[in-house]
Amino acid sequence: MTTTHADTSRSADFAAVRGLAAGDMQRVDALIRARLSSDVVLINQIADHIIAGGGKRLRPMLHVLAAGAAGYRGDQHIKLATVIEFIHTSTLLHDDVVDESDLRRGRKTANALWGNAASVLVGDFLYSRSFQMMVELDDMRIMRILANTTNTIAEGEVLQLLNIGNADVDETAYLAVIERKTAVLFAAATELGGLLGGLPDDQVAALRRYGMELGYAFQIADDLLDYVSDAGTLGKNIGDDLAEGKPTLPLIYALQKADAEQRRSLRHAIEHGGLDSLDHIIASIRDSGALERTHKRAVLHADAARNALRALPDSPWRDAMATLADYSVQRSF
């Protein structure tokens, strides 16, 4: 993939955001390593593999930024950011088992290396470790938000499972899944930052709204990348969602515009999975204008996220969160 000036500019913007949060995120990374430690060797092996996989740690960074925007200057956000990352990582471990994935961020998944049983159980370990850390914070408001969030994520996992292979899934049903699977954890991360900072209720609500809209934008853009990227840039194989029979927004939009022959082909691909006619399917999606329409939908949510920030006082932290809203829909990995 050719690197453009726009790509370089977006990378610089994201680097500036990471630079602002770098001090806190170094502490978060250190706590992640410390609290992943176990006297069970296999847990340590899989945990080391997860840490080495890196990733942008976007969710804990969002919490750190929100806490900064809320004027919080204590230490609890470090532990909360770690909890948020543990919850997210446990969902990834479970997701890869359910999806039978063998590649994530360009590396072999834990289930591909150690098997499904080990991945599920270490995912459970991460969930339970996150709840141990929540209790240490001794704040019922925090525990209520994270307990409700974790339960909602589990509902989203089941909803997505029910949608696999269903060519009749519409936009509303699709959005219901990504709200539960993705957006609620973004929303909890930012809401908790406002809560730690002692912001007024309306500003805490604005931070939650920002996180929710950003989560929508991020996931819709991610689903779009499945049809315009590749393993070298996205970290997974192009068409993975299609191979798994996941009716994501590009497919849903393409079905609405397709002619009879294309519609039969698209429905068959969703209902049976596989990549036998991947090139034809991707051509049908692109011809239908579904990719542009999906991008516009992601931008709509990114704009809503940025608008929610207007309720907060001006600060470098708030500016960084606005930058992330732009970045979420302009990524080229």
Side-chain angles (χ1 to χ4, degrees):
M1 178 175 288
T2 302
T3 300
T4 67
H5 175 72
D7 293 334
T8 303
S9 177
R10 285 191 289 270
S11 296
D13 288 343
F14 186 73
V17 173
R18 294 186 75 168
L20 181 65
D24 281 342
M25 289 306 297
Q26 287 173 4
R27 297 171 64 196
V28 171
D29 285 344
L31 189 58
I32 286 172
R33 290 180 179 276
R35 298 308 295 265
L36 274 178
S37 179
S38 168
D39 58 7
V40 178
V41 174
L42 182 59
I43 290 176
N44 287 327
Q45 289 176 333
I46 295 178
D48 286 345
H49 178 74
I50 294 167
I51 290 171
K56 295 181 175 63
R57 302 224 196 282
L58 181 58
R59 291 152 187 84
M61 186 168 67
L62 273 173
H63 175 66
V64 163
L65 293 172
Y72 181 70
R73 297 296 179 262
D75 294 317
Q76 286 191 331
H77 64 308
I78 303 301
K79 186 172 286 188
L80 260 179
T82 302
V83 167
I84 289 163
E85 181 67 4
F86 281 177
I87 292 172
H88 172 57
T89 304
S90 64
T91 67
L92 296 186
L93 285 166
H94 290 163
D95 267 356
D96 287 340
V97 170
V98 172
D99 296 341
E100 300 179 5
S101 299
D102 60 4
L103 194 66
R104 181 176 288 278
R105 297 171 185 151
R107 303 170 72 245
K108 284 285 188 180
T109 55
N111 54 296
L113 294 171
W114 287 279
N116 289 341
S119 292
V120 169
L121 293 173
V122 173
D124 292 345
F125 169 82
L126 286 172
Y127 265 135
S128 57
R129 179 53 51 89
S130 71
F131 274 83
Q132 285 179 321
M133 295 177 69
M134 279 181 228
V135 172
E136 292 168 12
L137 291 166
D138 197 23
D139 188 323
M140 186 56 70
R141 299 170 304 168
I142 290 172
M143 286 189 281
R144 182 177 293 111
I145 289 169
L146 286 171
N148 290 341
T149 298
T150 305
N151 189 253
T152 301
I153 291 170
E155 289 179 335
E157 301 274 4
V158 177
L159 270 181
Q160 179 170 271
L161 185 65
L162 292 174
N163 287 348
I164 289 177
N166 181 2
D168 294 316
V169 169
D170 60 12
E171 185 173 356
T172 300
Y174 162 82
L175 291 173
V177 169
I178 64 172
E179 176 184 338
R180 289 166 171 81
K181 275 203 66 187
T182 302
V184 292
L185 189 56
F186 279 65
T190 51
E191 179 183 12
L192 288 168
L195 203 65
L196 285 184
L199 292 181
D201 289 347
D202 63 324
Q203 292 184 357
V204 173
L207 275 170
R208 180 174 181 82
R209 192 162 60 252
Y210 163 85
M212 188 70 76
E213 294 291 350
L214 183 68
Y216 278 120
F218 185 88
Q219 188 60 56
I220 293 170
D222 214 45
D223 291 341
L224 175 63
L225 283 169
D226 192 57
Y227 293 97
V228 299
S229 191
D230 55 50
T233 54
L234 180 57
K236 63 177 184 177
N237 299 310
I238 190 167
D240 272 0
D241 288 344
L242 181 65
E244 295 160 12
K246 288 182 181 177
T248 57
L249 205 54
L251 278 171
I252 292 167
Y253 283 160
L255 276 167
Q256 293 173 0
K257 298 291 185 180
D259 59 34
E261 181 184 348
Q262 289 174 327
R263 192 175 296 110
R264 280 194 299 271
S265 181
L266 289 167
R267 288 184 65 90
H268 183 272
I270 294 170
E271 290 168 355
H272 299 281
L275 300 174
D276 295 340
S277 55
L278 178 62
D279 291 342
H280 177 67
I281 295 297
I282 290 177
S284 296
I285 292 171
R286 289 175 178 166
D287 291 347
S288 71
L291 300 181
E292 293 81 4
R293 192 176 167 195
T294 300
H295 183 256
K296 286 180 181 177
R297 182 64 197 243
V299 169
L300 189 70
H301 288 290
D303 288 344
R306 198 183 311 99
N307 289 338
L309 293 174
R310 293 176 179 173
L312 299 176
D314 188 24
S315 72
W317 305 92
R318 190 189 74 170
D319 292 345
M321 294 171 76
T323 297
L324 284 180
D326 294 330
Y327 172 80
S328 69
V329 293
Q330 296 171 344
R331 292 170 292 155
S332 57
F333 289 83

